[in-house]
């Protein structure tokens, strides 16, 4: 296929080089045709009163859409977090125990520590439960619209419950 395309292009270039009249005869002025088409396009859109962007007026935010965006975001956050913790373990002096003692010595309140633990575990739990939901979709289960919403609510409830439980440990 590629050889035929190169052969055709080579013949066309050779003909154009040897006989420029062949190319001029078949050419049309592109500037005027493009300008006319663009004017026709904009006149048609102005006369139809359509919005310039369908995302503003047509698409409304739905639970599956938001959960898909959040799933991608938690995946990126988890990847970045693991990378940063790994680099910190390699580059910072001391051991894990010394860093844990440093955090304990700060004298942070238990509510602040619980909140920090919840913030760390929530993306992991959300990504895990929503990943299981995606695996069910790969098996062809739960793809109807009501089931999408039911599984979405189930993922959110499981995420909150498991995050609260793990943060309490």
């Amino acid at each position: 296929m590629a050889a035929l395309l190169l052969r055709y292009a080579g013949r066309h270039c050779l003909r154009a080089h040897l006989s420029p009249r062949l190319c001029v005869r078949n050419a049309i002025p592109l500037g005027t045709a493009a300008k006319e088409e663009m004017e026709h396009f904009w006149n048609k859109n102005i006369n139809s009163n359509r919005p310039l962007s369908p995302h503003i007026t047509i698409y409304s935010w739905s639970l599956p859409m938001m959960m898909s965006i959040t799933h991608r975001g938690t995946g990126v956050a988890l990847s970045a977090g693991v990378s940063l913790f790994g680099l910190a373990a390699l580059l910072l002096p001391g051991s894990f125990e010394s860093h844990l003692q440093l955090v304990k010595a700060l004298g942070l309140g238990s509510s602040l520590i619980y909140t920090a633990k919840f913030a760390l575990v929530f993306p992991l739990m959300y990504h895990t439960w929503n990943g299981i939901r995606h695996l069910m979709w790969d098996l062809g289960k739960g793809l109807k619209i009501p089931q999408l919403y039911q599984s979405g609510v189930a993922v959110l409830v499981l995420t909150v419950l498991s995050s609260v439980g793990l943060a309490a440990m």
Side-chain angles (χ1 to χ4, degrees):
M1 182 71 177
L4 291 173
L5 184 62
L6 285 173
R7 188 167 130 197
Y8 174 76
R11 283 185 182 171
H12 188 318
C13 290
L14 185 59
R15 282 190 202 136
H17 182 66
L18 296 178
S19 175
R21 283 178 277 163
L22 288 175
C23 290
V24 173
R25 184 181 64 180
N26 296 329
I28 61 167
L30 291 178
T32 57
K35 184 177 178 183
E36 289 170 1
E37 285 187 36
M38 287 303 295
E39 285 177 8
H40 174 69
F41 171 79
W42 286 113
N43 289 334
K44 182 180 75 173
N45 280 340
I46 290 169
N47 293 336
S48 67
N49 292 325
R50 289 187 292 195
L52 293 179
S53 174
H55 301 290
I56 297 169
T57 57
I58 294 174
Y59 299 118
S60 60
W61 291 96
S62 63
L63 182 67
M65 183 188 303
M66 289 301 298
M67 291 187 73
S68 175
I69 293 168
T70 307
H71 186 75
R72 294 166 194 259
T74 55
V76 169
L78 289 170
S79 177
V82 167
S83 298
L84 289 175
F85 277 112
L87 282 173
L90 286 174
L91 300 176
L92 292 177
S95 63
F96 176 74
E97 290 81 17
S98 64
H99 295 297
L100 191 58
Q101 291 299 326
L102 175 67
V103 171
K104 286 182 181 179
L106 291 175
L108 302 172
S110 60
S111 61
L112 184 62
I113 290 178
Y114 179 81
T115 304
K117 287 167 47 175
F118 183 84
L120 285 174
V121 79
F122 184 84
L124 177 65
M125 289 294 96
Y126 178 81
H127 200 75
T128 300
W129 290 116
N130 205 37
I132 292 170
R133 179 180 180 220
H134 278 263
L135 289 174
M136 291 293 108
W137 290 349
D138 290 342
L139 295 174
K141 298 182 184 333
L143 294 174
K144 295 181 180 162
I145 298 297
Q147 295 171 340
L148 289 176
Y149 282 91
Q150 290 170 352
S151 64
V153 170
V155 163
L156 293 175
V157 168
L158 287 170
T159 298
V160 170
L161 291 176
S162 58
S163 297
V164 166
L166 286 173
M169 295 175 96

